[in-house]
Amino acid sequence: MTTLRLAFGSLRFRRGAFIATFINVFAGAAVLMAFASLLDTARGDSVSAADASSLRTIAGAVGGWGLVIVGFGVASTTNLAVRQRQAELALLKAIGATPRQIGRLIVGEGVAVAVAAAALGVVPAVLIGRAVVEALSRTDQIRHDVSHQFGSLALVAGPSTTLLATLGATALAARSAGRVSAREALSHATVESGAVGKGRVIAGGALLAAGLGCALAIATGLKDEGFTTLSVAGQACIASAIGLALLSPIMLRAVALPIELATRRSAAASAYLAVSAVRERTRQIAAVTMPVTVLTGLAVGTLYIQRIHDDTNAAEGIAVTVEDRGVQTLNLIIIGMISLFAAVVLINNCVASLLARTQEFGLARKIGATPGQLLGAVAWETGTAATCGLALGTVSAAIGIAGFAYGRSGSVSPDLDRMPYLAVVALVIGLTCIASLPAARRSLAVPMIDAAGPTRG
């Protein structure tokens, strides 16, 4: 009970620090409940067997990968929040708290946020689910008399899967926090140390291998299996994107030296500060790179795989069937919902990471850095994070696209319009700028003396 009271007290004291996690869980719960409601709709008395099968397929496809993406997004935000609280957790250890009690504190906070977010996500989930059913009706994927139902499956499956994803994410964050000693956390509260964990490298490598395996399967044994081929191609993009996102801190460390060499002659203070931040705060900056990677990989991969499918059918004189329209609608729904969630995670992580650096910016101003130089440094940092994410996301999309293109047309590099890719790049850059620059200005708006002192988070 003492740990539970401490968790609720921490939530009250650090309300701002939990907003990002709350918004991520809220968006994830709304998406998962919305698509779980399709299972309730499929159970309606007037729903035909074909319509019920279509609704279950969409619910399973979006819900399954949605759970993975939601867990991934919540994990990145939770880990970011825990790293920003190293000094606080170190003080708890210094006064006798055990790693298990620290873990219960972090998990308790996560569960409280998840329950509140899931409860508030019911109304938007109903609206999203209804919009999906109406979209399926307009494209003749289901009959027009099928009405949306939001019942027990949505109310049970949605919150439970959201809570499961949050529990997994907070448990991993708690385990990581428990391994850091009090002395270590107090002396390195603002500086990250150590290489990327072995578990993270293994998980990232396994997911990347799974993505490559899916692409190879499409290119060889699943060439003309209709929906199955498209589904596996999408899985290749998603698995590769998450795998590369987990490995993104390695890439960020690798690009720090080239950036330093490229900017050394300019003697720009902003570039120097940015390179130092990339080196010392690699995993915190990776919290921006990871959602960019997932967003880019999923959006670019799905758009071009669908384009290749349509172009190949047209070249072969294959008429567009109801199944083809259904697959296209499903792909657009998947890319819309999960990309929207990835965009929310990107914005939240940008804002949360920069608002938590008020004290750091205050200390930098104390030793002579100007607000303009710090804004320039933030621009360099976020630009580096976004560029790395775009590069990794492009690679993950190319894995799925190449496998699908070779399976359908015999070529791994089909001639495709660049506009969808450029649109995704513009979207990522726009979201990053919209999130990072106002947050940095808000941190710099705090008077230098106040900012350099202790902050409440």
Side-chain angles (χ1 to χ4, degrees):
M1 291 299 294
T2 301
T3 305
L4 186 61
R5 287 197 299 270
L6 185 60
F8 280 105
S10 179
L11 285 172
R12 289 195 302 270
F13 185 71
R14 300 177 59 88
R15 286 189 293 269
F18 288 99
I19 289 177
T21 303
F22 175 85
I23 294 175
N24 285 355
V25 178
F26 171 79
V31 170
L32 292 176
M33 281 191 286
F35 285 95
S37 71
L38 300 185
L39 299 176
D40 289 312
T41 304
R43 297 168 64 188
D45 296 334
S46 61
V47 179
S48 66
D51 291 344
S53 177
S54 298
L55 290 168
R56 292 192 191 100
T57 299
I58 295 174
V62 180
W65 281 112
L67 175 60
V68 174
I69 300 296
V70 169
F72 178 78
V74 173
S76 67
T77 306
T78 304
N79 282 325
L80 177 64
V82 170
R83 284 197 299 273
Q84 293 170 350
R85 299 172 60 192
Q86 285 289 6
E88 173 190 331
L89 299 178
L91 288 174
L92 289 175
K93 287 184 178 182
I95 61 175
T98 65
R100 181 173 295 182
Q101 289 172 327
I102 296 292
R104 286 203 297 266
L105 168 65
I106 295 172
V107 172
E109 293 169 352
V111 170
V113 171
V115 170
L120 293 176
V122 172
V123 174
V126 173
L127 299 177
I128 293 171
R130 186 176 299 162
V132 171
V133 172
E134 290 176 356
L136 294 173
S137 298
R138 284 195 302 269
T139 54
D140 297 325
Q141 308 311 307
I142 59 176
R143 291 189 332 197
H144 295 276
D145 60 349
V146 175
S147 60
H148 175 249
Q149 302 292 327
F150 194 92
S152 59
L153 289 177
L155 290 172
V156 173
S160 62
T161 51
T162 303
L163 186 59
L164 178 65
T166 306
L167 277 173
T170 52
L172 290 174
R175 184 184 176 195
S176 176
R179 288 199 297 263
V180 181
S181 67
R183 179 179 179 182
E184 222 176 5
L186 283 171
S187 58
H188 301 287
T190 60
V191 179
E192 296 174 356
S193 60
V196 180
K198 291 182 180 178
R200 183 171 186 157
V201 173
I202 292 172
L207 285 167
L208 180 58
L212 291 169
C214 289
L216 182 61
I218 300 165
T220 55
L222 294 173
K223 293 184 178 181
D224 297 303
E225 298 294 332
F227 173 76
T228 302
T229 304
L230 285 166
S231 176
V232 175
Q235 292 173 15
C237 295
I238 296 175
S240 301
I242 296 177
L244 289 172
L246 290 174
L247 299 174
S248 60
I250 298 175
M251 183 174 180
L252 284 169
R253 289 181 187 272
V255 301
L257 180 59
I259 293 175
E260 182 181 10
L261 294 176
T263 58
R264 180 175 292 175
R265 291 184 179 181
S266 68
S270 298
Y272 174 80
L273 291 171
V275 170
S276 299
V278 171
R279 283 179 170 173
E280 302 296 341
R281 295 179 173 273
T282 305
R283 282 175 286 178
Q284 181 171 324
I285 295 174
V288 176
T289 303
M290 289 190 292
V292 171
T293 302
V294 175
L295 173 59
T296 305
L298 179 61
V300 173
T302 306
L303 287 173
Y304 280 107
I305 287 170
Q306 185 64 54
R307 180 69 62 87
I308 293 170
H309 176 69
D310 294 340
D311 291 347
T312 304
N313 284 347
E316 296 175 354
I318 300 175
V320 178
T321 64
V322 174
E323 181 183 3
D324 289 331
R325 288 199 300 270
V327 170
Q328 186 173 19
T329 303
L330 174 59
N331 284 337
L332 292 175
I333 290 173
I334 291 175
I335 189 176
M337 291 296 100
I338 300 182
S339 295
L340 176 62
F341 178 75
V344 170
V345 174
L346 169 60
I347 293 172
N348 280 337
N349 285 5
C350 272
V351 173
S353 62
L354 288 170
L355 291 181
R357 295 171 64 183
T358 301
Q359 185 174 9
E360 174 194 339
F361 292 153
L363 292 172
R365 289 158 65 188
K366 256 188 172 182
I367 60 175
T370 66
Q373 289 172 336
L374 291 173
L375 276 176
V378 169
W380 272 98
E381 289 174 35
T382 53
T384 300
T387 301
C388 287
L390 285 168
L392 294 174
T394 301
V395 171
S396 64
I399 290 172
I401 293 170
F404 184 78
Y406 185 80
R408 289 302 311 272
S409 64
S411 172
V412 296
S413 56
D415 186 18
L416 295 171
D417 182 13
R418 296 181 181 178
M419 286 305 298
Y421 178 74
L422 295 177
V424 173
V425 172
L427 173 64
V428 168
I429 294 174
L431 289 174
T432 306
C433 292
I434 290 171
S436 60
L437 295 181
R441 286 195 177 95
R442 181 178 172 185
S443 292
L444 291 170
V446 179
M448 181 179 65
I449 300 300
D450 296 335
T455 58
R456 291 177 56 168

